[in-house]
Amino acid sequence: MLTNYIKIALRNLWKHKLFSFINVFGLASGLTVCMLAIAHIKGAFDYDAFHQSRERTYRIISDVVSLTNDKAPFATTPKPLGATLKQQYGFIDEASYVVRSYDEFLGNHKRLSTMGFAVDPGFFRIFSFPLAQGRPATEPNTVVLTQAMARKFFGTANPIGQTLQHQELGNFTVTGVLAELPTKSHLVFDLLFSATSYGVKNRAAVSEWQQYHTGYTYVMLKPGTPAEALDIVLPSVVSRATRGLRFADIKGYSFRTQQLSRLSPARGEMMYGTYEPQVPGLLAEFGIGLITLLLAAFNYVNLTLARSLSRAREVGIRKVSGAVRWQLLGQFMAESVVLSLLALSLAFLMLELVKPMAFVQQWLIGGVRWDWTIWAIFALFSIVAGLLAGIVPARVLSGFEPAQVLRSHSGLRIIRGLSLRKSLIVVQFVVSLVAMIGLLTMVRQMDYMATGDYGFRRERMLNVPINDVPAPRLMNELNRLSGIERVSATSELFGSHGNYQTIKRTRTGQNTSPAFVWSVSEQFVPNMGLTLVAGQNMAAAVADTTGRQVLINEEAVKAFRLGTSRDAVGQVLWLNDSTDVQVVGVVKDFRFTTFAIAVKPLLLHNVPSQFRYVTLSVAAGAEEKVMAEVKQVWKRLRPFDPFEGQWYDDFLEARHTHADDADFMGLLIGLAFSIGCLGLLGMVTYTTQTRVKEIGVRKVMGAEVSQLVWLLSRDFVKLLVIAAAIALPLGYLSGYAFLFSFAYHVSIGFETLGLCVGVLLLLGSLTIGLRTYRAALANPVMSLRSE
């Protein structure tokens, strides 16, 4: 019987090729998105699977109770916790304390910003990060690099034995290079370096039980030790360690454990968390895949029900011949499963096409183990999807009675005469249009951040990273070139994240405010086109000790309550409780970081040792000439280092335009619109086929082609208008939900909503118009000759 069902299914699919193509392509598109989400979910459960002792390794986290009795989970703990547990409890096999660090290292004449972890020797005994060469960084002042970071510093040269320099921590010897990880890890880093020197630098920050947010504690239990043994002792450890301590901003904290094998996916968000995927995010991704698949399922339901009259006669004949309802259900469900398996084959091909996309590799399938289990999940999921898509048509078709069939009643009418088929078309285009409005809003916001007015000069500005070249030497060389208007130096580029520090109004006072701190040369203000509203520019500095003259912006004047801009000139502020600086001028507010936050307090001082970039303002028309000459200067100073200069406009565009994300989102929306348009094409095609004799009669009676086209298409155009009316407010809300996180953002007006609706009506009208126009041109003799 099953073989017979499959044969009938294949014959029906081959007989109705257009409808079969629409259904197969639609289901394949939905399955592709779902497979990407399933692969990401599977990869989330595979995090840290390569560690040999993951089942007996635990991360200890802190539940912090605020002054208002609110409890917040922190992924971090005080530094002494791990050592205390190992010393006092024999069932602890190993303990490690890990501190995340964002630092600049200099190596091979290259100064690079890195994200790393300061680790102790126990780290390499707990975790099994594989080494491609060398040995772990268990000795003082040693470091291991990832392969990507090793290439950035040393190219193809052997990094083992090379030296990385840190301004405060000293020199580090490279002892190893990590291999590519078999799966992803919740710890993401560029390098791992010995914590000995780092502990000296941060002694006050990481050696106190009051500091619960400085690093991560991992413990490995001895084989056979239950996790409850660790859970039992943690409350007593907290009680003894915090007895007599006073916390300024919290009431206290407690500890609990997370097994490393269950760390990912994370059930909830934690403060100072690591990089394991969150369950809500995974569910959202899977939801997007299900929505895409649902749109395709709508097509299947729609087209199957549209052909219900012809299939109803088949059902009537089978029932008269003695078939019972469950047999008919089996036949229709078999057709649906065969269709889903064909769609699965196409989905595999589509998956191979999207796999190389940067967004897909970075955020979805990077590090996923493609073993037999994931392919089995894909196959099972497609079969289930086919069964679910076919259940509604199967129940409807198998429920027809022969008498109803003879009277051509299908019983498919629902609320107020609006058919189920038309409802599904509306839903398809509503979802597609809402997604399109959201994507266009996102793209416009990214373009606004890349091209908007920041308040500083960005045209014809060239930024050159100086690495370890002395800034004064490079600036002197560049000043000699013609076509360069000014040369200045800075610690960071405007438009980046910036360096956030706490500034005090007085050394011992409590009037503090966080502020962004930039180190710039005295030519930076005129070079960047900044406006002084009070005071004067900083004097030239030849050493860091002369950098106590500072400029602040108007927002800093308000934050520190310095009165007016004129009143602020001459007043003193304190950096790091140890350095007093004098305000010599106030600059007009401008946007110097991301558009996500409003203008914050800014402090500019002249500290040459912190300079990382040289910025050149170039005369109009001299861009190519200056670029070529700057490259020659760089080649002379650093013959073996690549030139990495970049125009400010290009930097801001690369910083804020996430083309890979937009491309992937565009692909999803394109699939959604394709599914909707193909479903609409199928409906229009079937409708025109059923009305072919009516068209012939009307043409014989003198109807024009344009009248026939409008007659055939007006009901479908109404559906598009209804979809647009429903989607516009929903799309507006979804767009503003995205823009809500930006302090400065675009508006959602006619340019967004009108364009999206125009695309919807254009695609829908082309789909409807071309098919109905072709039907209206048909020769009436061909359709009426048998009458």
Side-chain angles (χ1 to χ4, degrees), residues 497-683:
H497 292 292
N499 180 24
Y500 219 41
Q501 295 184 21
T502 299
I503 312 297
K504 285 189 175 184
R505 177 68 177 84
T506 59
R507 185 173 188 177
T508 58
Q510 299 299 317
N511 186 10
T512 64
S513 176
F516 287 89
V517 179
W518 251 266
S519 295
V520 299
S521 65
E522 72 281 357
Q523 287 293 319
F524 191 79
V525 170
N527 197 23
M528 298 298 295
L530 305 182
T531 303
L532 278 169
V533 296
Q536 60 185 11
N537 194 11
M538 298 176 292
V542 295
D544 291 354
T545 56
T546 62
R548 295 197 174 183
Q549 293 183 350
V550 300
L551 300 175
I552 60 176
N553 64 349
E554 294 172 304
E555 186 63 28
V557 175
K558 299 175 185 177
F560 293 109
R561 301 177 183 176
L562 301 178
T564 66
S565 296
R566 292 184 179 274
D567 296 336
V569 177
Q571 298 200 46
V572 175
L573 300 174
W574 285 85
L575 304 177
N576 304 321
D577 295 331
S578 58
T579 305
D580 61 306
V581 294
Q582 184 181 31
V583 179
V584 297
V586 178
V587 298
K588 183 179 180 180
D589 282 341
F590 63 98
R591 301 167 185 173
F592 52 88
T593 59
T594 172
F595 278 24
I597 59 176
V599 174
K600 297 294 183 183
L602 171 67
L603 186 147
L604 304 175
H605 62 158
N606 196 340
V607 184
S609 64
Q610 297 180 4
F611 293 160
R612 299 291 178 265
Y613 298 89
V614 167
T615 301
L616 320 174
S617 55
V618 181
E623 294 89 348
E624 293 185 4
K625 172 178 173 295
V626 168
M627 176 66 82
E629 292 179 349
V630 171
K631 287 182 178 179
Q632 292 177 0
V633 171
W634 181 263
K635 192 70 174 178
R636 187 168 65 252
L637 296 177
R638 282 288 176 263
F640 301 106
D641 293 347
F643 177 74
E644 297 178 346
Q646 187 180 29
W647 295 104
Y648 229 124
D649 281 335
D650 296 336
F651 165 74
L652 292 174
E653 183 175 358
R655 171 77 173 79
H656 297 294
T657 304
H658 305 286
D660 295 335
D661 299 3
D663 289 345
F664 184 72
M665 289 294 294
L667 174 64
L668 294 182
I669 294 173
L671 289 177
F673 264 110
S674 299
I675 293 170
C677 289
L678 285 174
L680 185 62
L681 174 63
M683 288 296 299

Side-chain angles (χ1 to χ4, degrees), residues 442 444-452 454 458 594-596 652-653 656-658 742 744:
M442 182 181 73
R444 289 188 63 233
Q445 176 63 20
M446 291 191 300
D447 181 69
Y448 172 61
M449 293 189 295
T451 61
Y454 282 77
R458 50 182 290 176
T594 172
F595 278 24
L652 292 174
E653 183 175 358
H656 297 294
T657 304
H658 305 286
F742 295 91
Y744 309 102

Side-chain angles (χ1 to χ4, degrees), residues 205-245:
V206 298
S207 63
E208 302 291 340
W209 282 97
Q210 292 96 328
Q211 302 295 327
Y212 53 86
H213 50 69
T214 52
Y216 308 91
T217 297
Y218 298 89
V219 296
M220 184 172 63
L221 305 183
K222 290 185 176 180
T225 304
E228 291 76 11
L230 180 58
D231 294 328
I232 291 173
V233 303
L234 287 178
S236 60
V237 172
V238 175
S239 178
R240 290 194 303 268
T242 60
R243 187 179 295 119
L245 294 180

Side-chain angles (χ1 to χ4, degrees), residues 338-537:
V338 169
L339 192 73
S340 68
L341 291 177
L342 292 175
L344 178 63
S345 302
L346 180 58
F348 284 148
L349 296 178
M350 297 173 70
L351 183 63
E352 292 299 320
L353 292 177
V354 301
K355 267 186 180 182
M357 294 182 65
F359 179 90
V360 174
Q361 284 293 330
Q362 181 177 0
W363 299 110
L364 296 177
I365 65 173
V368 175
R369 293 188 296 183
W370 295 88
D371 50 21
W372 68 270
T373 58
I374 195 168
W375 300 113
I377 293 173
F378 289 164
L380 180 61
F381 181 82
S382 67
I383 293 173
V384 172
L387 292 173
L388 292 177
I391 192 169
V392 172
R395 285 181 58 84
V396 172
L397 295 176
S398 64
F400 287 155
E401 296 295 336
Q404 288 181 322
V405 172
L406 293 177
R407 291 195 301 268
S408 299
H409 291 311
S410 59
L412 297 178
R413 310 296 289 182
I414 57 173
I415 300 174
R416 296 183 180 180
L418 182 64
S419 71
L420 175 61
R421 292 170 292 161
K422 294 179 181 179
S423 302
L424 297 181
I425 289 176
V426 171
V427 171
Q428 282 181 316
F429 282 103
V430 165
V431 172
S432 301
L433 187 55
V434 169
M436 186 176 182
I437 293 173
L439 175 65
L440 184 57
T441 301
M442 182 181 73
V443 171
R444 289 188 63 233
Q445 176 63 20
M446 291 191 300
D447 181 69
Y448 172 61
M449 293 189 295
T451 61
D453 182 13
Y454 282 77
F456 59 83
R457 177 179 172 179
R458 50 182 290 176
E459 298 82 11
R460 304 191 312 276
M461 302 294 289
L462 180 62
N463 299 311
V464 181
I466 63 176
N467 292 333
D468 66 336
V469 178
R473 181 183 178 188
L474 180 59
M475 293 169 68
N476 289 334
E477 292 282 346
L478 296 177
N479 263 321
R480 300 172 184 172
L481 302 180
S482 61
I484 294 180
E485 297 173 344
R486 280 194 180 91
V487 179
S488 60
T490 178
S491 57
E492 293 190 64
L493 299 179
F494 287 152
S496 61
H497 292 292
N499 180 24
Y500 219 41
Q501 295 184 21
T502 299
I503 312 297
K504 285 189 175 184
R505 177 68 177 84
T506 59
R507 185 173 188 177
T508 58
Q510 299 299 317
N511 186 10
T512 64
S513 176
F516 287 89
V517 179
W518 251 266
S519 295
V520 299
S521 65
E522 72 281 357
Q523 287 293 319
F524 191 79
V525 170
N527 197 23
M528 298 298 295
L530 305 182
T531 303
L532 278 169
V533 296
Q536 60 185 11
N537 194 11

Side-chain angles (χ1 to χ4, degrees), residues 691-725:
R691 301 179 67 178
V692 64
K693 292 183 180 180
E694 176 190 350
I695 296 171
V697 171
R698 288 182 180 274
K699 290 195 73 173
V700 170
M701 299 298 293
E704 296 180 357
V705 172
S706 60
Q707 293 174 321
L708 293 174
V709 170
W710 174 243
L711 176 69
L712 295 173
S713 60
R714 62 185 178 186
D715 288 339
F716 295 105
V717 173
K718 290 178 183 178
L719 296 181
L720 296 180
V721 174
I722 293 173

Side-chain angles (χ1 to χ4, degrees), residues 718-786:
K718 290 178 183 178
L719 296 181
L720 296 180
V721 174
I722 293 173
I726 297 174
L728 282 178
L730 296 178
Y732 185 86
L733 292 176
S734 67
Y736 261 107
F738 169 75
L739 297 177
F740 184 76
S741 60
F742 295 91
Y744 309 102
H745 56 75
V746 298
S747 60
I748 303 178
F750 179 78
E751 68 280 355
T752 300
L753 302 179
L755 177 61
C756 293
V757 173
V759 170
L760 169 68
L761 295 178
L762 177 63
L763 293 177
S765 299
L766 286 175
T767 303
I768 298 168
L770 291 176
R771 191 66 189 88
T772 54
Y773 180 74
R774 182 179 175 185
L777 290 177
N779 189 346
V781 174
M782 302 301 295
S783 59
L784 299 177
R785 61 185 178 180
S786 61

